[in-house]
Amino acid sequence: MVLDAYERLVVVSNRTPTGIEGGATRSEGQRTAGGLVSALYPALQKRGGLWFGWSGRATRRQAHAPPHLVRHGGIQFATIDLSEEEINDFYAGFCNRALWPLFHCFPSRVRLRREEYRAYRRVNRTFATQLFPLLKAGDAVWVHDYHLIPLGTELRRLGWKGRLGFFLHTPFPPVDILTILPFASQLLADLNAYEVLGFHTQRYRQNCVDALCSELGGTFDGQAYHSEGGAVRCGVYAIGTDPTTFARWAMSTQAEMQSKRLRRSVRGRRIVLGVDRLDYTKGIPERLLAFERLLERYPAWQRRVSLIQISAPSRTRVPEYIEQKREVDRLVGAINGRFSEEDWVPIRYLYRTYSQEELAAFYREADVCIVTPLRDGMNLVAKEYVASQTADPGVLVLSRFCGAAEELREAVIVNPYDVDGMADDLKRALEMPLAERQERWQALIKRVCAVTAQTWCEQFLADLTSAP
Ligand code: F6P
């Protein structure tokens, strides 16, 4: 039994839900949650343990004060503040202007600065020095995402000998893209500090193993990477959602009232729904153009359908995100200006954050959910939408370039770069007969219920605790 194999689970991630439960305000936490927090939080709530990360706040102090400790339910949160400079260089800089575009295969957006890389390593060292005194023998330490790749090395340097695993929530790029980064070999070497490395899909794991073998030497036996430094297990663990909770939220009286209001507000027209953080990897402009193309090529759909695009503000101090917002604002204005009638606005654009419970009501009512990232590690919106459908299910339109497409094969799979093709697929989704919708959804919901946040967590921890 996994839970008996270690005494306490210690999760480390840059972002924690303390904004939701503790230190900062509720809206801050919700605004920035993202897939990592929404999957880990329920899983950790069931097990209890320690969650360590950045508080989301800036401090003026140069030296780091000890972590803020907040207990909520069975979880002990320990968070540290970062200085303005660290937030700029580590988070907004190296993490989100170098690693993020690189891992999502946008090499032309990668911006390299030596001082930002130094800040990245420094902040990882700070995380390790602040976390190490809180660790106890018997803990299993699970590190999350690209912000913290060197954390394992730093913890080992301080003397941590216990279990140590790492999960990457983004794609892992092919070696030719990864090695654009002058520090690629160093980051690959950092991966050797862990006993288990986890990825969402076979392809990401393969890319990582190829990079390890070609840049550092060593071999892969199908399960573990072997080098002079020892063996590191490399596994595939698809992240999921909590389908039972989403189904409950979607069926609640509150969701029913919210859905009715929504349907009335579009005057009974069909609803296409998009839900994303406002990020250039999400393909929002391409989706807006596809919707415009639908109205242009199939005028019978004018006045009969509305696109509701929910975009949660994200990384608002990073210039590429400011630019993306401008572009989305411009496109929404142009398309609405071109097609709106006195009693119909084709695109409703909601630049704000909704709670997951509120989103369930949108999912329930949407005839089509359009999830079309240009590249995405997994994408939980796709799974949440499926979980929120019932007897008269809507249609999921899904990009082939997100991790979820490896599992959710009964969705309408599209190429988000092909705007004309997406317009045709949208039409097909809007016109799909009930029997086909039901058949697809039944296959999809089985998959969504088989791979959940809980199974993801259990399988990773089972491998971490059984690793030699
Ligand atoms: O899922 C990838 C991820 O970067 C998470 O690590 C993160 O919590 C989420 O997206 C939201 O991003 P941010 O923490 O930068 O707001």
Side-chain angles (χ1 to χ4, degrees), residues 242-299:
D242 177 351
T244 322
T245 303
F246 266 95
R248 182 163 43 78
W249 282 337
M251 286 306 106
S252 68
T253 341
Q254 203 184 333
E256 194 180 339
M257 275 155 46
Q258 196 187 323
S259 307
K260 278 195 184 138
R261 257 200 327 272
L262 184 66
R263 188 64 75 174
R264 264 202 310 275
S265 76
V266 294
R267 304 196 182 197
R269 294 182 175 98
R270 310 293 289 282
I271 296 172
V272 175
L273 176 69
V275 179
D276 315 84
R277 277 187 309 105
L278 204 147
D279 192 308
Y280 56 84
T281 59
K282 303 289 183 184
I284 302 169
E286 290 77 1
R287 181 184 311 165
L288 296 173
L289 291 171
F291 188 70
E292 178 180 42
R293 203 60 62 85
L294 169 86
L295 301 177
E296 196 176 76
R297 281 174 49 171
Y298 306 106

Side-chain angles (χ1 to χ4, degrees), residues 67-145:
H68 314 280
L69 299 176
V70 179
R71 179 167 279 285
H72 189 271
I75 310 177
Q76 171 79 63
F77 292 97
T79 56
I80 56 168
D81 300 341
L82 296 178
S83 68
E84 273 296 333
E85 199 184 342
E86 286 168 332
I87 296 173
N88 283 333
D89 291 351
F90 157 77
Y91 172 71
F94 192 72
C95 290
N96 287 322
R97 299 188 81 184
L99 288 183
W100 180 264
L102 189 83
F103 280 20
H104 286 83
C105 299
F106 288 89
S108 61
R109 287 187 184 264
V110 173
R111 201 193 63 136
L112 295 171
R113 295 278 189 279
R114 299 271 154 168
E115 66 276 15
E116 290 180 355
Y117 180 59
R118 283 196 287 272
Y120 176 73
R121 297 214 71 98
R122 248 191 339 267
V123 170
N124 270 269
R125 199 167 313 132
T126 303
F127 263 57
T129 17
Q130 297 275 7
L131 170 64
F132 187 65
L134 304 178
L135 295 180
K136 298 182 198 148
D139 285 348
V141 182
W142 189 8
V143 179
H144 291 262
D145 233 354

Side-chain angles (χ1 to χ4, degrees), residues 50-336:
L50 171 69
W51 193 333
F52 185 94
W54 173 37
S55 62
R57 284 186 300 244
T59 172
R60 288 224 182 111
R61 281 190 303 269
Q62 278 312 307
H64 285 272
H68 314 280
L69 299 176
V70 179
R71 179 167 279 285
H72 189 271
I75 310 177
Q76 171 79 63
F77 292 97
T79 56
I80 56 168
D81 300 341
L82 296 178
S83 68
E84 273 296 333
E85 199 184 342
E86 286 168 332
I87 296 173
N88 283 333
D89 291 351
F90 157 77
Y91 172 71
F94 192 72
C95 290
N96 287 322
R97 299 188 81 184
L99 288 183
W100 180 264
L102 189 83
F103 280 20
H104 286 83
C105 299
F106 288 89
S108 61
R109 287 187 184 264
V110 173
R111 201 193 63 136
L112 295 171
R113 295 278 189 279
R114 299 271 154 168
E115 66 276 15
E116 290 180 355
Y117 180 59
R118 283 196 287 272
Y120 176 73
R121 297 214 71 98
R122 248 191 339 267
V123 170
N124 270 269
R125 199 167 313 132
T126 303
F127 263 57
T129 17
Q130 297 275 7
L131 170 64
F132 187 65
L134 304 178
L135 295 180
K136 298 182 198 148
D139 285 348
V141 182
W142 189 8
V143 179
H144 291 262
D145 233 354
Y146 58 100
H147 316 84
L148 299 175
I149 295 171
L151 184 66
T153 306
E154 298 298 340
L155 282 174
R156 296 288 189 217
R157 196 171 286 158
L158 291 171
W160 176 245
K161 298 211 164 47
R163 305 258 169 220
L164 192 54
F166 177 81
F167 190 86
L168 183 68
H169 289 259
T170 66
F172 196 100
V175 62
D176 285 351
I177 294 198
L178 182 79
T179 48
I180 289 172
L181 194 70
F183 330 107
S185 297
Q186 206 171 357
L187 292 182
L188 287 166
D190 286 321
L191 293 177
N192 280 304
Y194 299 97
E195 286 150 309
V196 179
L197 302 178
F199 305 90
H200 285 307
T201 71
Q202 300 279 353
R203 182 172 303 210
Y204 307 157
R205 174 177 72 171
Q206 195 56 48
N207 287 343
C208 180
V209 164
D210 288 347
L212 284 166
C213 295
S214 78
E215 298 308 298
L216 303 184
T219 53
F220 181 59
D221 67 7
Q223 287 214 318
Y225 164 70
H226 300 267
S227 69
E228 279 171 11
V232 184
R233 189 181 180 121
C234 304
V236 176
Y237 314 89
I239 204 167
T241 176
D242 177 351
T244 322
T245 303
F246 266 95
R248 182 163 43 78
W249 282 337
M251 286 306 106
S252 68
T253 341
Q254 203 184 333
E256 194 180 339
M257 275 155 46
Q258 196 187 323
S259 307
K260 278 195 184 138
R261 257 200 327 272
L262 184 66
R263 188 64 75 174
R264 264 202 310 275
S265 76
V266 294
R267 304 196 182 197
R269 294 182 175 98
R270 310 293 289 282
I271 296 172
V272 175
L273 176 69
V275 179
D276 315 84
R277 277 187 309 105
L278 204 147
D279 192 308
Y280 56 84
T281 59
K282 303 289 183 184
I284 302 169
E286 290 77 1
R287 181 184 311 165
L288 296 173
L289 291 171
F291 188 70
E292 178 180 42
R293 203 60 62 85
L294 169 86
L295 301 177
E296 196 176 76
R297 281 174 49 171
Y298 306 106
W301 275 105
Q302 290 178 22
R303 307 179 58 90
R304 287 175 54 211
V305 61
S306 289
L307 168 64
I308 299 180
Q309 175 62 46
I310 297 176
S311 296
S314 181
R315 305 178 189 165
T316 46
R317 66 165 80 202
V318 180
E320 288 75 12
Y321 290 70
I322 298 171
E323 177 48 36
Q324 180 75 176
K325 170 151 190 315
R326 254 190 234 123
E327 175 64 359
V328 171
D329 288 353
R330 189 188 67 75
L331 278 170
V332 171
I335 299 168
N336 278 345

Side-chain angles (χ1 to χ4, degrees), residues 346-396:
I347 303 173
R348 299 266 186 97
Y349 173 43
L350 305 166
Y351 179 62
R352 53 163 290 187
T353 300
Y354 287 90
S355 69
Q356 289 189 303
E357 193 167 353
E358 287 168 323
L359 284 179
F362 282 97
Y363 292 142
R364 163 194 166 134
E365 210 48 32
D367 300 289
V368 174
C369 188
I370 180 158
V371 182
T372 51
L374 302 175
R375 193 73 61 177
D376 208 342
M378 173 54 72
N379 197 299
L380 287 180
V381 167
K383 295 186 173 186
E384 291 165 2
Y385 178 68
V386 171
S388 307
Q389 302 306 296
T390 49
D392 185 1
V395 181
L396 175 64

